[in-house]
Amino acid sequence: MTKHTLRAVLTLLSVLFVLACLPACGNAEKAPSAPTLTLQDGTLTYATALDAVTLQSHTGQKAYLYELAPGESEEALAGRAPILSCNVEQTLRFRFPLEENGITRRYNSYLLAFSDGTLLSHLPVSLSNASAATEPFPHGGTIKGLEAGRASAATAFNAHHAVLELRLSRLFEGDGFPISFNGTSYQLNSDRIALADALLTDAARHNQQITLLLEIDTAPNAPEFAALLDALLTRYTGGDYGTVTALALILPEELTRQADACA
């Protein structure tokens, strides 16, 4: 076999190899579409596109959309009913209202499961920027407010304002929640922060305006106090724990007299 003949044979084999690969390339599986959650005109839309393998594995089954409150994980799904369901198709899309029965879904997340109990993903999907998808502050229909352990109890009485009171001394009483300000680190009581997180999240889910009262029950250290205010305002002005609409400082009479004496 001459050099020219060998070159022709190799060229022909290369062409045949490319032609043989074309059908496979044309039928290549599309990459799965990651689930998304979007908000438009007061309606949330959960959407995803299944890849060929997932679609084939669950053909003939149902797809179920589950809702998780802030802080919940997939373990909370045990015994819980889905909010929506549909037949499994290549493209799945669920639409539902942002607010229902006076409760907002702005900070909730969602998981998709199939009839056989498997999850599409173990990573819940939520609004990418929940605080930017709304007005700066929730609208309170009335000026009513009352002291209640849970926001749902206040909502039942048509109260639209929640008040959370924190004591300065108790916030710095203990540790477990590190904060930093101007390059210096401080410690806050993690139990007090966790309690504030739970109460504020509950109020935000019920679309209530939130007033944070900070009781100055001890003479504050200026750098620590600045670090605390920075941490509270950063944590509670949009995001996972809702938005504080007002911050008020409560000074006891003794500290007020000291302030007057220094004036």
Side-chain angles (χ1 to χ4, degrees):
M1 183 178 292
T2 66
K3 182 182 296 185
H4 293 291
T5 303
L6 179 60
R7 181 176 298 172
V9 171
L10 291 176
T11 301
L12 178 61
L13 290 175
S14 299
V15 171
L16 291 175
F17 178 78
V18 171
L19 292 176
C21 288
L22 285 178
C25 296
N27 295 328
E29 294 180 2
K30 295 182 179 179
S33 172
T36 61
L37 185 69
T38 56
L39 172 63
Q40 184 175 4
D41 298 330
T43 298
L44 289 168
T45 301
Y46 175 101
T48 188
L50 305 181
D51 60 63
V53 174
T54 303
L55 180 61
Q56 183 177 8
S57 300
H58 301 286
T59 298
Q61 296 185 17
K62 286 275 191 180
Y64 300 102
L65 187 66
Y66 289 91
E67 186 172 47
L68 297 172
E72 289 186 330
S73 61
E74 65 180 79
E75 285 74 18
L77 299 182
R80 178 174 299 181
I83 62 170
L84 291 169
S85 65
C86 69
N87 294 325
V88 171
E89 298 177 350
Q90 200 274 327
T91 300
L92 298 174
R93 184 172 286 105
F94 298 90
R95 293 187 176 91
F96 46 101
L98 172 66
E99 297 181 8
E100 193 170 14
N101 299 323
I103 299 178
T104 182
R105 291 186 162 108
R106 192 175 308 281
Y107 304 102
N108 292 355
S109 56
Y110 299 87
L111 283 171
L112 187 74
F114 300 103
S115 300
D116 59 6
T118 60
L119 293 173
L120 175 64
S121 171
H122 292 275
L123 182 64
V125 178
S126 58
L127 285 174
S128 59
N129 192 349
S131 61
T134 183
E135 302 83 7
F137 305 110
H139 171 69
T142 74
I143 60 173
K144 289 183 179 179
L146 62 96
E147 184 178 356
R150 300 292 293 178
S152 55
T155 302
F157 288 93
N158 197 30
H160 294 270
H161 298 77
V163 176
L164 173 63
E165 184 173 337
L166 298 174
R167 290 186 179 181
L168 180 64
S169 62
R170 293 188 177 180
L171 285 169
F172 284 105
E173 187 180 74
D175 53 22
F177 188 87
I179 61 174
S180 62
F181 185 71
N182 285 343
T184 303
S185 298
Y186 305 92
Q187 289 284 336
L188 297 180
N189 188 311
S190 58
D191 292 336
R192 297 294 172 183
I193 296 297
L195 178 61
D197 288 350
L199 293 175
L200 287 169
T201 299
D202 187 43
R205 290 184 62 243
H206 289 81
N207 205 31
Q208 293 186 341
Q209 293 188 15
I210 305 168
T211 296
L212 179 61
L213 300 181
L214 183 57
E215 181 181 350
I216 313 301
D217 59 341
T218 183
N221 173 283
E224 286 185 348
F225 189 61
L228 172 64
L229 292 180
D230 178 71
L232 293 178
L233 293 177
T234 300
R235 192 171 183 81
Y236 300 132
T237 52
D240 294 338
Y241 307 104
T243 299
V244 169
T245 56
L247 172 64
L249 304 181
I250 303 177
L251 294 175
E253 291 185 7
E254 180 179 353
L255 291 180
T256 302
R257 286 195 298 268
Q258 292 177 6
D260 290 340
C262 295

